[in-house]
Amino acid sequence: MPQLAIRDLRKSFKDAVVLDGVTLDVEPGEIVCVFGPSGAGKTVLLRLVAGVETCDSGVVALAGRDVTEAPPETRGVGMAFQNFALFPHMSAFDNIASPLTARRAAPATIKTKVEKIAALLKIGHVLEHAPRELSNGQKQRTALARALVADPKVLLLDDPLRNVDAKLRYEMRLELPSLLKASGATALYVTQDYKEAMALGDRIAVLIDGRFVQVATPGAIYREPASIGVARLFGDPTVNLIPVEPVIRPEGLTVHIAGCIVPLSRRYEHAAGRACMLGVRPEAILVDESPMADGFPVELEAVTPLNEKTLLLLRANDGRELLASEAGEDAAPRRHGVAHARFDPDALLLFDAASGERIPPKA
Amino acid sequence: MEHTSGLERALRGVALALIVVFFLFPILWIFLMSFQTNEEILRIPPSPFFTPTLGNYAALISGKLTTVSGTLDIAFMRNLWNSVLLSTASVAIALVLGVPAAYAFARFKFRLGEDIAFTLLSFRFAPPLLVLLPLSLYFQQLGLTDTYAGLIWVYQLIALPLILWIVRGYFEDISPDIEHAYRVAGHSWWSTFTRIAVPLAGPGIAAAGLLAFIFCWNNFVFALILASADKQPVTVGALAFVTASGIQYGQIAAAIVLSVTPTLALALYAQRYLVEGLSLGAVKG
């Protein structure tokens, strides 16, 4: 039985439909990242699960119990808000202790539990401080501690790393998975950062315009995105999209790109003759100074070395820009000018141009 | 840092001094008058030098007003007590009713909500005398004329709208997520209201209560028409100093000093909380 079950949840504010029939099952102990562009309805979904907002229709069930109409205090979930939402007139200790006082725990138990979670989150030394005396990072940890302290079965995290600086975000991205696994809670984690979603989620639920367009493991979403929209959201730099129309030739399935013929896997034969979009991840473009089999000439216009990879801006003969990336900094020294590019045939994605949905290859 | 020339600073000092003198001189003068006899007050030219007397205060506290034409009984201490009772009870009731109402108007959207809130505010628009005439007739029918309960009820016209509208603004300033967080933690609606919303709106509630108290304290017409001597507050009671043998300036001054003292003390006391509350403002992340 799923720990958290969401069935066909709908919510509108006035005329604006925010959630348009959302369904999701989260298994016990699983971390599901709800990822999507801003305004997709991620926060509203979390608030509906927490019970601080009421849905128009649909069902929310926790451990098999229908809580759709239940007030938030009876649901027993832990939640960390995006803006922390600490109680400004209480010390960090009392903030963290509030779920325990609500459960009428003994003062000694409260003290032990709060100190334990505070030590885990490295805020043991600021427990007596008021929220206004805490740094942003400490506030964020206090909010997390408050969500975790009562060992909730379901944990709702609303973009908790959004309001903290880059260094801390990176640190927390490393710490959070083990912290969440240690707590054993089922977590719904909202984020706008695809890297965060990939790093933290057992599965990622991609929410676009109030609907889940894909719910899958991070690897599956990257390798087999359900649509052009999903493919664009994951990856930095974003996927290259080229309009193509596959044709069957004697030598196999091919597409025309910039006046050259580029081969495509035979497993896409059922897409022949359809208007398609070819999705090419930057790392699936191989660039060399000498011509390659199945390659095509490009102009290498810019080289941007980052620490872990180098970005190459290519221009094909028809003026189309392509972004390629290579692992490592300057694996091979690059000069601007004439070069040749080739696509890794196994890493290509093919989408239907009209619907934007991915065309899966035949087995 | 702000850089100001010496001249600018001097001018600013003069301007501040003028403002202080303008506002505080009458109060100082009344304070001095309260220790003088009527003859000393009325001498020409007036002089700040005099032999202080506590006669005015003695007369007020004993309730015996000695004039050239004989001794009059005045109920000043009784009036003062009435003022304290009426204002305190009115503000207390207005807080009990107004703070939850303000919370409802701030947090929940319900049918006619805005209209109800505005109607309550509109009580402050109507000239009191216009309301009083029909009200005095009703009060006679209901047997509320010349009762504390009746006066406290009418004082709600003053205190309730004030508290409702000021406190509502403070509730609206609290991020709803702070309350949501408390409820998700497992606390009921009521304890969220009493432990989160009310403490966070505390400075606003204090300010509104103080203001309402002052408005009630200074009210004149409601008590003048709806109450007789033994229920009247100081504002109405002060009329007794206008006697057949002249106006008792010394006693009036002493009465003003005594009647200002409670509101002043309350304001100074509440001020601490107002400032404390403002420094609590670090609500946002």
Side-chain angles (χ1 to χ4, degrees):
Chain A
M1 179 175 55
Q3 185 67 48
L4 166 65
I6 299 167
R7 288 279 170 280
D8 199 27
L9 213 54
R10 287 168 198 277
K11 175 75 180 172
S12 318
F13 291 106
K14 299 225 171 84
D15 294 335
V17 178
V18 180
L19 290 180
D20 190 13
V22 165
T23 296
L24 180 69
D25 280 337
V26 188
E27 297 303 322
E30 192 185 21
I31 303 170
V32 172
C33 282
V34 179
F35 168 81
S38 56
K42 306 184 295 292
T43 296
V44 173
L45 173 66
L46 224 54
R47 296 166 82 91
L48 289 175
V49 176
V52 297
E53 206 95 59
T54 48
C55 61
D56 301 337
S57 69
V59 174
V60 176
L62 296 171
R65 182 171 71 100
D66 183 348
V67 294
T68 316
E69 303 289 325
E73 61 266 28
T74 63
R75 298 194 180 191
V77 301
M79 181 162 181
F81 290 76
Q82 187 186 302
N83 55 9
F84 311 139
L86 297 175
F87 315 128
H89 57 311
M90 296 183 189
S91 67
F93 183 96
D94 289 335
N95 263 283
I96 298 171
S98 63
L100 299 172
T101 54
R103 288 159 178 76
R104 304 198 191 290
T109 323
I110 292 178
K111 196 164 153 47
T112 325
K113 283 199 168 180
V114 170
E115 277 168 3
K116 192 175 154 219
I117 192 85
L120 200 62
L121 283 161
K122 300 172 198 154
I123 46 170
H125 56 295
V126 292
L127 281 179
E128 294 314 313
H129 292 205
R132 67 173 180 278
E133 297 164 323
L134 301 176
S135 71
N136 260 7
Q138 290 165 340
K139 280 184 196 165
Q140 190 260 325
R141 281 160 190 265
T142 307
L144 264 179
R146 185 176 66 186
L148 286 165
V149 73
D151 296 320
K153 289 273 186 295
V154 171
L155 198 57
L156 306 170
L157 304 168
D158 188 0
D159 214 344
L161 302 188
R162 186 164 189 197
N163 286 332
V164 299
D165 58 70
K167 179 176 167 286
L168 188 73
R169 194 177 315 146
Y170 192 75
E171 221 174 280
M172 289 303 288
R173 211 186 279 161
L174 290 176
E175 279 179 41
L176 266 175
S178 58
L179 202 68
L180 294 178
K181 283 297 170 207
S183 81
T186 304
L188 214 51
Y189 186 107
V190 160
T191 178
Q192 278 196 48
D193 179 341
Y194 87 92
K195 285 181 184 161
E196 215 167 288
M198 304 268 274
L200 290 172
D202 293 324
R203 283 190 298 157
I204 299 176
V206 185
L207 190 64
I208 297 176
D209 291 334
R211 287 169 177 277
F212 281 139
V213 290
Q214 190 170 13
V215 182
T217 61
I221 287 200
Y222 193 77
R223 285 190 310 272
E224 297 153 5
S227 69
I228 292 178
V230 177
R232 290 171 100 123
L233 286 171
F234 289 83
D236 177 28
T238 56
V239 65
N240 295 291
L241 292 165
I242 309 161
V244 291
E245 195 181 307
V247 283
I248 299 175
R249 293 169 159 263
E251 62 267 34
L253 189 69
T254 59
V255 290
H256 265 86
I257 293 170
C260 300
I261 290 165
V262 175
L264 213 58
S265 163
R266 276 201 172 272
R267 299 194 296 155
Y268 286 112
E269 260 174 6
H270 56 295
R274 277 159 75 178
C276 293
M277 276 283 188
L278 187 66
V280 192
R281 296 280 185 198
E283 64 271 19
I285 302 180
L286 313 169
V287 182
D288 204 274
E289 284 176 12
S290 47
M292 292 176 282
D294 299 333
F296 54 94
V298 290
E299 183 85 5
L300 180 53
E301 292 204 327
V303 179
T304 312
L306 301 172
N307 282 331
E308 78 282 20
K309 63 185 170 192
T310 305
L311 299 187
L312 308 172
L313 177 62
L314 314 172
R315 190 177 295 280
N317 287 344
D318 59 350
R320 172 173 304 284
E321 281 184 356
L322 294 171
L323 271 170
S325 74
E326 295 185 322
E329 191 172 358
D330 265 1
R334 291 290 178 195
R335 256 178 296 125
H336 296 188
V338 179
H340 296 270
R342 191 171 77 83
F343 296 151
D344 174 1
D346 295 329
L348 293 178
L349 302 164
L350 201 62
F351 302 99
D352 185 86
S355 69
E357 275 167 34
R358 194 170 82 96
I359 301 169
K362 284 221 174 84
Chain B
M1 277 297 287
E2 219 180 316
H3 293 282
T4 47
S5 67
L7 178 71
E8 210 173 315
R9 243 177 305 170
L11 284 175
R12 190 176 295 175
V14 170
L16 280 175
L18 281 175
I19 292 168
V20 169
V21 167
F22 180 80
F23 282 109
L24 290 186
F25 181 74
I27 294 174
L28 177 72
W29 196 248
I30 284 171
F31 186 71
L32 293 177
M33 270 169 70
S34 71
F35 294 103
Q36 301 174 34
T37 62
N38 233 15
E39 291 71 42
E40 279 172 313
I41 292 165
L42 293 173
R43 79 196 142 165
I44 293 186
S47 155
F49 303 104
F50 58 91
T51 5
T53 167
L54 288 173
N56 297 322
Y57 289 98
L60 289 177
I61 291 163
S62 65
K64 298 274 181 248
L65 191 59
T66 321
T67 63
V68 275
S69 52
T71 305
L72 278 172
D73 280 336
I74 51 160
F76 179 77
M77 292 317 282
R78 170 104 201 160
N79 292 148
L80 197 61
W81 166 243
N82 286 343
S83 273
V84 172
L85 182 78
L86 289 171
S87 303
T88 312
S90 301
V91 171
I93 291 175
L95 283 174
V96 168
L97 296 175
V99 171
Y103 185 74
F105 284 126
R107 280 283 178 265
F108 307 113
K109 299 281 158 263
F110 45 91
R111 246 159 55 89
L112 296 179
E114 285 306 313
D115 302 298
I116 297 169
F118 186 78
T119 307
L120 285 164
L121 183 67
S122 72
F123 293 161
R124 300 282 303 157
F125 302 161
L129 281 170
L130 199 76
V131 184
L132 265 172
L133 192 68
L135 210 57
S136 61
L137 295 175
Y138 283 132
F139 266 42
Q140 270 162 23
Q141 295 269 320
L142 293 168
L144 284 170
T145 318
D146 197 24
T147 58
Y148 286 125
L151 279 177
I152 288 168
W153 192 3
V154 177
Y155 274 27
Q156 297 308 313
L157 286 177
I158 305 168
L160 198 55
L162 210 63
I163 285 172
L164 191 73
W165 277 82
I166 294 177
V167 175
R168 176 188 180 175
Y170 275 81
F171 279 138
E172 278 170 353
D173 281 349
I174 303 172
S175 159
D177 274 347
I178 293 179
E179 289 171 36
H180 290 153
Y182 203 64
R183 290 201 66 185
V184 170
H187 297 270
S188 67
W189 174 86
W190 176 250
S191 76
T192 305
F193 174 68
T194 54
R195 307 262 180 79
I196 302 291
V198 169
L200 288 181
I205 295 172
L210 180 67
L211 218 54
F213 186 87
I214 293 170
F215 274 93
C216 289
W217 186 273
N218 290 344
N219 181 264
F220 177 72
V221 279
F222 287 144
L224 178 72
I225 295 180
L226 294 175
S228 66
D230 67 325
K231 302 285 191 309
Q232 279 170 344
V234 278
T235 43
V236 183
L239 285 176
F241 299 111
V242 184
T243 64
S245 55
I247 300 171
Q248 305 300 313
Y249 289 107
Q251 273 100 359
I252 291 182
I256 290 172
V257 171
L258 282 181
S259 58
V260 161
T261 310
T263 35
L264 192 68
L266 191 68
L268 288 175
Y269 174 76
Q271 191 188 29
R272 278 195 314 184
Y273 291 95
L274 297 179
V275 174
E276 208 173 276
L278 292 177
S279 67
L280 245 169
V283 174
K284 286 196 174 152

